[in-house]
Amino acid sequence: MSQQYRTALILSSGAMRGAYQCGVLKAFKEYDLEFDVVVASSVGAYNGIRYLADQMDICEEIYVADLSGGRFIKPWNFLIPGRHFLDLDYLVDEVCRTESKSLDMDKVISSRSEFYITALESDTIAIRFFDAKESDIYPLLKATAAIPFLYSGKVMINGKRYIDGGLLEPVPISKAIELGCKELYVILNRAAKDSQPSYMKQLISRMPGRIPRIMAEHARVKAEVNQFLYQPHEDISLTVIRPRQPIPVGRFTSDREKIQLCINTGYRDGVDLIRSNQISP
């Protein structure tokens, strides 16, 4: 990577598709890649914090052992008041606080990277980029992934309720550009050939209240970002890492073998990228 320009790692949302991103980051960590800025939304925040903590082995273990088999994803709870489809309480309060899998925040804070995590303020529908090194990390990890109707809890930060940052910043590239980064590495979790909205996303978009408006804005922002990523830019270098073919993991896949296969695919793609000299320490 260039020493002349500020570099940024952009980690997109995608729920369980983040297993692909985990694999890419596992490869990056093996080659000791560092970035000036890391910006993450939703599942990207979980991957990003483990990357900066030098805990990619734990990150992989959590995907395969803890997020599979129905302990995290509970479809039978959908639309049952007070019950979670995506059990962030289990992930954040149990898994991430287990002694053997606890977050090494000392390493995160001491890393050279600035680290920002997105969350959407529920009342104003305004996106916010939290400095993860200065924040209470556990509520923030819940907030950035708190998809309405799928997580029934209310995540409060400084007296305000926040929901999934990926709703309006699915690929949070704007913050890196705002910070003056010129060399951007963007990890997406879906193949270009696999861009149709999921059934669950279509269902949520038909829910009452403000959600349809938010989902319409989500689609608009995502289309704009995808167009931006593949346009030529005079002053910005963009490298996009994404699956070459559709992966076997969807947003709510809990099959252990498929999750592991997805991680392995991401790892191979990450290694291939490094060996092709598109990215280097």
Side-chain angles (χ1 to χ4, degrees):
M1 288 184 289
S2 170
Q3 300 300 313
Q4 184 177 358
Y5 302 112
R6 274 168 62 80
T7 60
L9 176 65
I10 315 298
L11 302 175
S12 68
S13 61
M16 290 303 296
R17 292 192 188 103
Y20 173 83
Q21 194 177 86
C22 170
V24 176
L25 292 178
K26 178 182 174 182
F28 282 12
K29 181 56 67 175
E30 286 187 4
Y31 283 82
D32 296 322
L33 300 186
E34 293 184 325
F35 304 85
D36 297 307
V37 174
V38 177
V39 191
S41 282
S42 198
V43 70
Y46 290 81
N47 291 331
I49 199 165
R50 294 293 182 178
Y51 186 77
L52 295 181
D54 195 15
Q55 294 180 313
M56 290 314 301
D57 54 339
I58 294 175
C59 188
E60 179 175 8
E61 182 182 355
I62 288 173
Y63 273 104
V64 176
D66 299 301
L67 301 188
S68 64
R71 286 171 290 181
F72 173 58
I73 299 171
K74 303 173 180 179
W76 54 87
N77 285 341
F78 186 52
L79 295 183
I80 299 177
R83 305 289 289 274
H84 304 309
F85 180 110
L86 294 179
D87 196 342
L88 297 177
D89 294 344
Y90 161 73
L91 174 57
V92 175
D93 297 333
E94 293 184 38
V95 176
C96 289
R97 293 178 188 265
T98 301
E99 184 175 357
S100 62
K101 298 173 183 176
S102 62
L103 294 167
D104 191 337
M105 286 305 297
D106 289 338
K107 281 190 178 180
V108 173
I109 292 169
S110 65
S111 71
R112 61 168 273 198
S113 304
E114 299 174 36
F115 185 29
Y116 298 92
I117 293 175
T118 68
L120 183 64
E121 189 177 328
S122 179
D123 290 339
T124 62
I125 314 299
I127 200 72
R128 180 173 173 187
F129 292 89
F130 287 87
D131 183 339
K133 293 187 177 184
E134 301 291 335
S135 303
D136 185 348
I137 196 62
Y138 293 104
L140 182 54
L141 286 175
K142 283 188 184 180
T144 192
I147 303 174
F149 298 106
L150 301 188
Y151 175 69
S152 62
K154 291 185 177 181
V155 185
M156 307 298 292
I157 300 176
N158 298 327
K160 298 179 181 180
R161 184 182 180 185
Y162 286 89
I163 57 177
D164 184 9
L167 290 171
L168 289 190
E169 284 285 350
V171 186
I173 198 169
S174 61
K175 184 65 175 179
I177 294 173
E178 175 192 319
L179 292 170
C181 298
K182 300 295 186 182
E183 193 171 319
L184 311 180
Y185 298 88
V186 183
I187 306 179
L188 305 179
N189 295 311
R190 296 185 77 173
K193 300 177 181 179
D194 182 25
S195 58
Q196 293 300 313
S198 67
Y199 171 77
M200 183 63 72
K201 186 179 289 187
Q202 294 181 55
L203 182 60
I204 292 174
S205 70
R206 294 182 174 88
M207 294 297 177
R210 295 173 296 176
I211 296 302
R213 179 163 61 90
I214 294 174
M215 296 306 293
E217 183 67 6
H218 169 88
R220 184 192 67 79
V221 169
K222 195 167 185 178
E224 284 187 358
V225 170
N226 280 328
Q227 185 178 28
F228 178 85
L229 292 177
Y230 293 101
Q231 288 178 335
H233 302 279
E234 291 184 2
D235 59 342
I236 295 175
S237 169
L238 268 169
T239 301
V240 178
I241 307 100
R242 69 189 311 169
R244 300 180 182 112
Q245 300 294 330
I247 56 177
V249 171
R251 285 181 176 274
F252 309 118
T253 298
S254 58
D255 183 279
R256 180 176 300 189
E257 291 185 1
K258 290 181 178 179
I259 293 169
Q260 185 65 69
L261 178 61
C262 192
I263 293 171
N264 294 346
T265 300
Y267 176 79
R268 287 195 300 271
D269 287 353
V271 170
D272 288 347
L273 185 79
I274 295 166
R275 290 178 175 173
S276 68
N277 294 320
Q278 294 184 56
I279 182 172
S280 58

